[in-house]
Amino acid sequence: MEAPRLAHTMGSPTSPCEEVIKNLSLEAIQLCDRDGNKSQDSGIAEMEELPVPHNIKISNITCDSFKISWDMDSKSKDRITHYFIDLNKKENKNSNKFKHKDVPTKLVAKAVPLPMTVRGHWFLSPRTEYTVAVQTASKQVDGDYVVSEWSEIIEFCTADYSKVHLTQLLEKAEVIAGRMLKLSVFYRNQHREYFDYIREHHGNAMQPSVKDNSGSHGSPISGKLEGIFFSCNTEFNTGKPPQDSPYGRYRYEIAAEKLFNPNTNLYFGDFYCMYTAYHYVILVIAPVGSPGDEFCKQRLPQLNIKDNKFLTCDEEDGVMVYHHAQDVILEVIYTDPVDLSLGTVAEITGHQLMSLSTANAKKDPSCKTCNISVGR
């Protein structure tokens, strides 16, 4: 059976799509498999062998780009006109076997001095493991190619969102945040057993734990930042926390000034939805100079605690006054332990709405409101 011919399907670097390989002309192609043999297609000729790339190096990795370079023998090097790059997501043993597999991305670029930059948000996602292999090729006058053997396969992982990407998310979240409502407490719902365990095994202090993988796939806080989740949204008609909760029938309430004050810093962490009309914004409150503060300072956009679109803390007539955005659901992470004695625990009168839980919730990658033009 014949292998597929080279299929030039992507637009030129001047098309509306982002340039994929910096300063290069790039096209999507279909190539032979990486298991070794060259294609038997008449569009790929076989002449004197071209040098095979080896000692491949990946560097300058971001959430949607990387630089690649390699070594190769000098023999026939001057005949190389193009590089073929075979890029694939690394297979996950736990992936859904019934889900369509990702289509491998095979790129062709004009040969330029190495290293070269591969960039493209339509085929690179943040915090994702990939494999890559390379061929050298020589384009003939009739459009056919002479190709080398495939190089060895190299594995690498793309990076998290940078502050630049998070700032883009922040700006999108600001658009829909809505007007500000007053609040007086932060609250945290759990099962009764949770609070019993805190009293018996942690000296009455709730301890920070590693954030789960809910929200944007590229979020730098997922699986890394340690903190305690709190809510702060209030009901419009009462100004108090809602009586329903997805997380348990027992609620810990603490005065807002105990967690959020001029001795804390506030950071924007994420903006996402779960295939629903309402959106979530994750904020991080960290005591100034704490380990959590240092972690966030390097990775997250910092907000002015007195003037931002999500959660504010200001003094009026000698009293601290707090406001939260009405049109987004705020998830607040506090990065230090919190002693239960600073607040109260009581049973809620409403329902436990498990369907609203965001534990390990996956972001809707198709939502135009909360996605940016990099991997989701």
Side-chain angles (χ1 to χ4, degrees), residues 183-188 206 230-232 241 251-260 334 337-345:
L183 71 102
S184 59
V185 299
F186 290 102
Y187 54 96
R188 173 176 172 80
M206 293 184 288
F230 285 91
S231 299
C232 67
R251 174 173 293 167
Y252 175 74
E253 288 191 5
I254 183 171
E257 62 265 23
K258 298 287 187 181
L259 300 186
F260 188 32
Y334 186 75
V338 176
D339 198 294
L340 292 178
S341 65
L342 297 175
T344 59
V345 178

mmCIF file of all heavy atoms in Angstrom, residues 183-188 206 230-232 241 251-260 334 337-345:
data_model
loop_
_atom_site.group_PDB
_atom_site.id
_atom_site.type_symbol
_atom_site.label_atom_id
_atom_site.label_comp_id
_atom_site.label_asym_id
_atom_site.label_seq_id
_atom_site.Cartn_x
_atom_site.Cartn_y
_atom_site.Cartn_z
ATOM 1 N N LEU A 183 -19.279 42.035 51.232
ATOM 2 C CA LEU A 183 -19.175 40.764 51.937
ATOM 3 C C LEU A 183 -18.550 41.024 53.303
ATOM 4 O O LEU A 183 -17.881 42.049 53.503
ATOM 5 C CB LEU A 183 -18.334 39.755 51.151
ATOM 6 C CG LEU A 183 -16.820 40.008 51.060
ATOM 7 C CD1 LEU A 183 -16.066 39.103 52.014
ATOM 8 C CD2 LEU A 183 -16.313 39.826 49.642
ATOM 9 N N SER A 184 -18.747 40.092 54.215
ATOM 10 C CA SER A 184 -18.171 40.252 55.559
ATOM 11 C C SER A 184 -17.401 39.033 56.024
ATOM 12 O O SER A 184 -16.607 39.115 56.954
ATOM 13 C CB SER A 184 -19.277 40.571 56.580
ATOM 14 O OG SER A 184 -20.247 39.526 56.600
ATOM 15 N N VAL A 185 -17.634 37.874 55.363
ATOM 16 C CA VAL A 185 -16.965 36.644 55.801
ATOM 17 C C VAL A 185 -16.451 35.855 54.604
ATOM 18 O O VAL A 185 -16.974 35.954 53.490
ATOM 19 C CB VAL A 185 -17.908 35.739 56.631
ATOM 20 C CG1 VAL A 185 -18.374 36.451 57.893
ATOM 21 C CG2 VAL A 185 -19.093 35.268 55.800
ATOM 22 N N PHE A 186 -15.430 35.053 54.851
ATOM 23 C CA PHE A 186 -15.039 33.964 53.964
ATOM 24 C C PHE A 186 -15.593 32.692 54.579
ATOM 25 O O PHE A 186 -15.692 32.579 55.810
ATOM 26 C CB PHE A 186 -13.526 33.873 53.826
ATOM 27 C CG PHE A 186 -12.912 35.015 53.062
ATOM 28 C CD1 PHE A 186 -12.279 36.057 53.724
ATOM 29 C CD2 PHE A 186 -12.972 35.044 51.682
ATOM 30 C CE1 PHE A 186 -11.721 37.110 53.025
ATOM 31 C CE2 PHE A 186 -12.411 36.096 50.966
ATOM 32 C CZ PHE A 186 -11.784 37.137 51.643
ATOM 33 N N TYR A 187 -15.927 31.705 53.750
ATOM 34 C CA TYR A 187 -16.496 30.467 54.300
ATOM 35 C C TYR A 187 -15.983 29.249 53.525
ATOM 36 O O TYR A 187 -15.578 29.349 52.361
ATOM 37 C CB TYR A 187 -18.026 30.515 54.296
ATOM 38 C CG TYR A 187 -18.656 30.830 52.962
ATOM 39 C CD1 TYR A 187 -19.104 29.809 52.114
ATOM 40 C CD2 TYR A 187 -18.836 32.154 52.536
ATOM 41 C CE1 TYR A 187 -19.699 30.096 50.897
ATOM 42 C CE2 TYR A 187 -19.426 32.450 51.312
ATOM 43 C CZ TYR A 187 -19.856 31.414 50.498
ATOM 44 O OH TYR A 187 -20.431 31.697 49.284
ATOM 45 N N ARG A 188 -16.001 28.120 54.213
ATOM 46 C CA ARG A 188 -15.481 26.870 53.657
ATOM 47 C C ARG A 188 -16.392 25.729 54.097
ATOM 48 O O ARG A 188 -16.554 25.484 55.301
ATOM 49 C CB ARG A 188 -14.058 26.635 54.147
ATOM 50 C CG ARG A 188 -13.441 25.281 53.792
ATOM 51 C CD ARG A 188 -11.992 25.227 54.252
ATOM 52 N NE ARG A 188 -11.395 23.914 54.121
ATOM 53 C CZ ARG A 188 -10.914 23.398 53.002
ATOM 54 N NH1 ARG A 188 -10.982 24.111 51.892
ATOM 55 N NH2 ARG A 188 -10.371 22.198 52.980
ATOM 56 N N MET A 206 -6.637 24.168 60.240
ATOM 57 C CA MET A 206 -6.749 23.654 58.866
ATOM 58 C C MET A 206 -5.417 23.880 58.151
ATOM 59 O O MET A 206 -4.840 24.968 58.232
ATOM 60 C CB MET A 206 -7.873 24.369 58.120
ATOM 61 C CG MET A 206 -9.255 24.073 58.649
ATOM 62 S SD MET A 206 -10.577 24.848 57.662
ATOM 63 C CE MET A 206 -10.366 26.579 58.131
ATOM 64 N N PHE A 230 -11.462 28.773 50.049
ATOM 65 C CA PHE A 230 -12.583 29.469 50.662
ATOM 66 C C PHE A 230 -13.470 30.043 49.570
ATOM 67 O O PHE A 230 -13.027 30.279 48.441
ATOM 68 C CB PHE A 230 -12.097 30.625 51.551
ATOM 69 C CG PHE A 230 -11.500 30.186 52.865
ATOM 70 C CD1 PHE A 230 -10.141 29.930 52.979
ATOM 71 C CD2 PHE A 230 -12.305 30.038 53.986
ATOM 72 C CE1 PHE A 230 -9.586 29.532 54.181
ATOM 73 C CE2 PHE A 230 -11.761 29.645 55.202
ATOM 74 C CZ PHE A 230 -10.404 29.386 55.298
ATOM 75 N N SER A 231 -14.716 30.292 49.932
ATOM 76 C CA SER A 231 -15.648 31.013 49.072
ATOM 77 C C SER A 231 -15.946 32.361 49.710
ATOM 78 O O SER A 231 -15.720 32.552 50.907
ATOM 79 C CB SER A 231 -16.949 30.216 48.897
ATOM 80 O OG SER A 231 -16.699 28.973 48.291
ATOM 81 N N CYS A 232 -16.492 33.272 48.905
ATOM 82 C CA CYS A 232 -16.865 34.569 49.470
ATOM 83 C C CYS A 232 -18.094 35.179 48.815
ATOM 84 O O CYS A 232 -18.544 36.249 49.221
ATOM 85 C CB CYS A 232 -15.695 35.544 49.410
ATOM 86 S SG CYS A 232 -15.221 36.008 47.739
ATOM 87 N N PRO A 241 -23.785 34.609 52.732
ATOM 88 C CA PRO A 241 -23.441 33.433 51.927
ATOM 89 C C PRO A 241 -24.679 32.604 51.609
ATOM 90 O O PRO A 241 -25.618 32.545 52.412
ATOM 91 C CB PRO A 241 -22.478 32.652 52.832
ATOM 92 C CG PRO A 241 -21.911 33.676 53.758
ATOM 93 C CD PRO A 241 -23.012 34.662 53.987
ATOM 94 N N ARG A 251 -20.227 24.279 57.623
ATOM 95 C CA ARG A 251 -19.563 25.463 57.083
ATOM 96 C C ARG A 251 -18.750 26.174 58.166
ATOM 97 O O ARG A 251 -19.257 26.451 59.256
ATOM 98 C CB ARG A 251 -20.596 26.429 56.504
ATOM 99 C CG ARG A 251 -20.015 27.769 56.040
ATOM 100 C CD ARG A 251 -21.066 28.592 55.342
ATOM 101 N NE ARG A 251 -21.456 27.975 54.079
ATOM 102 C CZ ARG A 251 -22.526 28.334 53.373
ATOM 103 N NH1 ARG A 251 -23.318 29.301 53.816
ATOM 104 N NH2 ARG A 251 -22.807 27.727 52.238
ATOM 105 N N TYR A 252 -17.510 26.460 57.792
ATOM 106 C CA TYR A 252 -16.648 27.281 58.635
ATOM 107 C C TYR A 252 -16.694 28.707 58.108
ATOM 108 O O TYR A 252 -16.436 28.942 56.928
ATOM 109 C CB TYR A 252 -15.212 26.754 58.610
ATOM 110 C CG TYR A 252 -14.223 27.612 59.364
ATOM 111 C CD1 TYR A 252 -14.199 27.613 60.757
ATOM 112 C CD2 TYR A 252 -13.322 28.426 58.688
ATOM 113 C CE1 TYR A 252 -13.297 28.399 61.462
ATOM 114 C CE2 TYR A 252 -12.414 29.215 59.374
ATOM 115 C CZ TYR A 252 -12.404 29.192 60.767
ATOM 116 O OH TYR A 252 -11.513 29.984 61.454
ATOM 117 N N GLU A 253 -17.047 29.648 58.957
ATOM 118 C CA GLU A 253 -17.073 31.056 58.588
ATOM 119 C C GLU A 253 -16.048 31.822 59.401
ATOM 120 O O GLU A 253 -15.886 31.582 60.600
ATOM 121 C CB GLU A 253 -18.466 31.670 58.825
ATOM 122 C CG GLU A 253 -19.517 31.211 57.854
ATOM 123 C CD GLU A 253 -20.806 32.038 57.965
ATOM 124 O OE1 GLU A 253 -20.817 33.027 58.738
ATOM 125 O OE2 GLU A 253 -21.792 31.685 57.291
ATOM 126 N N ILE A 254 -15.345 32.728 58.716
ATOM 127 C CA ILE A 254 -14.323 33.532 59.374
ATOM 128 C C ILE A 254 -14.445 34.976 58.868
ATOM 129 O O ILE A 254 -14.699 35.204 57.686
ATOM 130 C CB ILE A 254 -12.904 32.959 59.109
ATOM 131 C CG1 ILE A 254 -11.841 33.757 59.856
ATOM 132 C CG2 ILE A 254 -12.613 32.867 57.617
ATOM 133 C CD1 ILE A 254 -10.451 33.109 59.809
ATOM 134 N N ALA A 255 -14.316 35.926 59.776
ATOM 135 C CA ALA A 255 -14.408 37.338 59.395
ATOM 136 C C ALA A 255 -13.391 37.655 58.306
ATOM 137 O O ALA A 255 -12.230 37.220 58.358
ATOM 138 C CB ALA A 255 -14.182 38.219 60.620
ATOM 139 N N ALA A 256 -13.799 38.408 57.299
ATOM 140 C CA ALA A 256 -12.962 38.677 56.133
ATOM 141 C C ALA A 256 -11.615 39.273 56.516
ATOM 142 O O ALA A 256 -10.577 38.928 55.929
ATOM 143 C CB ALA A 256 -13.702 39.603 55.170
ATOM 144 N N GLU A 257 -11.593 40.159 57.525
ATOM 145 C CA GLU A 257 -10.337 40.825 57.888
ATOM 146 C C GLU A 257 -9.308 39.882 58.491
ATOM 147 O O GLU A 257 -8.118 40.200 58.537
ATOM 148 C CB GLU A 257 -10.601 41.990 58.844
ATOM 149 C CG GLU A 257 -11.225 41.603 60.164
ATOM 150 C CD GLU A 257 -12.734 41.743 60.144
ATOM 151 O OE1 GLU A 257 -13.317 41.712 59.030
ATOM 152 O OE2 GLU A 257 -13.321 41.904 61.231
ATOM 153 N N LYS A 258 -9.746 38.682 58.925
ATOM 154 C CA LYS A 258 -8.799 37.714 59.483
ATOM 155 C C LYS A 258 -7.892 37.123 58.399
ATOM 156 O O LYS A 258 -6.769 36.720 58.658
ATOM 157 C CB LYS A 258 -9.552 36.582 60.185
ATOM 158 C CG LYS A 258 -10.405 37.013 61.368
ATOM 159 C CD LYS A 258 -9.561 37.381 62.565
ATOM 160 C CE LYS A 258 -10.456 37.634 63.783
ATOM 161 N NZ LYS A 258 -9.664 38.032 64.970
ATOM 162 N N LEU A 259 -8.414 37.069 57.172
ATOM 163 C CA LEU A 259 -7.646 36.470 56.065
ATOM 164 C C LEU A 259 -7.146 37.499 55.061
ATOM 165 O O LEU A 259 -6.098 37.303 54.441
ATOM 166 C CB LEU A 259 -8.512 35.440 55.318
ATOM 167 C CG LEU A 259 -9.048 34.242 56.091
ATOM 168 C CD1 LEU A 259 -9.758 33.283 55.131
ATOM 169 C CD2 LEU A 259 -7.945 33.518 56.841
ATOM 170 N N PHE A 260 -7.895 38.574 54.893
ATOM 171 C CA PHE A 260 -7.610 39.521 53.818
ATOM 172 C C PHE A 260 -7.496 40.921 54.398
ATOM 173 O O PHE A 260 -8.475 41.496 54.880
ATOM 174 C CB PHE A 260 -8.745 39.446 52.789
ATOM 175 C CG PHE A 260 -8.515 40.217 51.524
ATOM 176 C CD1 PHE A 260 -7.249 40.390 50.982
ATOM 177 C CD2 PHE A 260 -9.597 40.767 50.839
ATOM 178 C CE1 PHE A 260 -7.052 41.096 49.811
ATOM 179 C CE2 PHE A 260 -9.428 41.476 49.658
ATOM 180 C CZ PHE A 260 -8.147 41.635 49.144
ATOM 181 N N TYR A 334 -6.263 30.510 50.316
ATOM 182 C CA TYR A 334 -5.439 31.147 51.355
ATOM 183 C C TYR A 334 -4.258 30.231 51.622
ATOM 184 O O TYR A 334 -4.431 29.029 51.854
ATOM 185 C CB TYR A 334 -6.247 31.371 52.629
ATOM 186 C CG TYR A 334 -5.518 32.150 53.688
ATOM 187 C CD1 TYR A 334 -5.349 33.524 53.573
ATOM 188 C CD2 TYR A 334 -4.970 31.512 54.808
ATOM 189 C CE1 TYR A 334 -4.666 34.257 54.534
ATOM 190 C CE2 TYR A 334 -4.285 32.232 55.777
ATOM 191 C CZ TYR A 334 -4.144 33.600 55.634
ATOM 192 O OH TYR A 334 -3.457 34.317 56.590
ATOM 193 N N PRO A 337 -1.879 28.087 57.156
ATOM 194 C CA PRO A 337 -2.842 27.394 58.019
ATOM 195 C C PRO A 337 -3.828 28.374 58.637
ATOM 196 O O PRO A 337 -3.525 29.551 58.840
ATOM 197 C CB PRO A 337 -1.955 26.749 59.093
ATOM 198 C CG PRO A 337 -0.598 26.655 58.468
ATOM 199 C CD PRO A 337 -0.479 27.858 57.579
ATOM 200 N N VAL A 338 -5.035 27.889 58.945
ATOM 201 C CA VAL A 338 -6.070 28.709 59.575
ATOM 202 C C VAL A 338 -6.619 27.970 60.780
ATOM 203 O O VAL A 338 -7.126 26.847 60.653
ATOM 204 C CB VAL A 338 -7.219 29.025 58.586
ATOM 205 C CG1 VAL A 338 -8.334 29.804 59.291
ATOM 206 C CG2 VAL A 338 -6.698 29.799 57.382
ATOM 207 N N ASP A 339 -6.532 28.579 61.943
ATOM 208 C CA ASP A 339 -7.030 27.958 63.169
ATOM 209 C C ASP A 339 -8.543 28.073 63.233
ATOM 210 O O ASP A 339 -9.101 29.156 63.007
ATOM 211 C CB ASP A 339 -6.400 28.610 64.395
ATOM 212 C CG ASP A 339 -6.538 27.746 65.633
ATOM 213 O OD1 ASP A 339 -7.682 27.548 66.094
ATOM 214 O OD2 ASP A 339 -5.508 27.260 66.144
ATOM 215 N N LEU A 340 -9.202 26.975 63.555
ATOM 216 C CA LEU A 340 -10.664 26.972 63.622
ATOM 217 C C LEU A 340 -11.191 27.950 64.668
ATOM 218 O O LEU A 340 -12.319 28.448 64.554
ATOM 219 C CB LEU A 340 -11.182 25.564 63.923
ATOM 220 C CG LEU A 340 -10.998 24.507 62.827
ATOM 221 C CD1 LEU A 340 -11.528 23.158 63.298
ATOM 222 C CD2 LEU A 340 -11.695 24.926 61.540
ATOM 223 N N SER A 341 -10.386 28.229 65.668
ATOM 224 C CA SER A 341 -10.835 29.128 66.744
ATOM 225 C C SER A 341 -11.040 30.567 66.260
ATOM 226 O O SER A 341 -11.682 31.364 66.940
ATOM 227 C CB SER A 341 -9.828 29.115 67.895
ATOM 228 O OG SER A 341 -8.580 29.653 67.472
ATOM 229 N N LEU A 342 -10.519 30.882 65.074
ATOM 230 C CA LEU A 342 -10.694 32.230 64.530
ATOM 231 C C LEU A 342 -12.084 32.439 63.931
ATOM 232 O O LEU A 342 -12.446 33.565 63.568
ATOM 233 C CB LEU A 342 -9.630 32.505 63.462
ATOM 234 C CG LEU A 342 -8.178 32.505 63.937
ATOM 235 C CD1 LEU A 342 -7.233 32.675 62.756
ATOM 236 C CD2 LEU A 342 -7.963 33.616 64.956
ATOM 237 N N GLY A 343 -12.864 31.368 63.799
ATOM 238 C CA GLY A 343 -14.197 31.464 63.223
ATOM 239 C C GLY A 343 -15.154 30.495 63.886
ATOM 240 O O GLY A 343 -14.918 30.043 65.013
ATOM 241 N N THR A 344 -16.224 30.160 63.178
ATOM 242 C CA THR A 344 -17.240 29.257 63.724
ATOM 243 C C THR A 344 -17.590 28.179 62.718
ATOM 244 O O THR A 344 -17.508 28.388 61.498
ATOM 245 C CB THR A 344 -18.524 30.033 64.079
ATOM 246 O OG1 THR A 344 -19.028 30.672 62.894
ATOM 247 C CG2 THR A 344 -18.241 31.088 65.153
ATOM 248 N N VAL A 345 -18.008 27.005 63.208
ATOM 249 C CA VAL A 345 -18.478 25.905 62.371
ATOM 250 C C VAL A 345 -19.939 25.645 62.700
ATOM 251 O O VAL A 345 -20.302 25.503 63.865
ATOM 252 C CB VAL A 345 -17.656 24.625 62.593
ATOM 253 C CG1 VAL A 345 -18.210 23.479 61.741
ATOM 254 C CG2 VAL A 345 -16.187 24.858 62.262
#
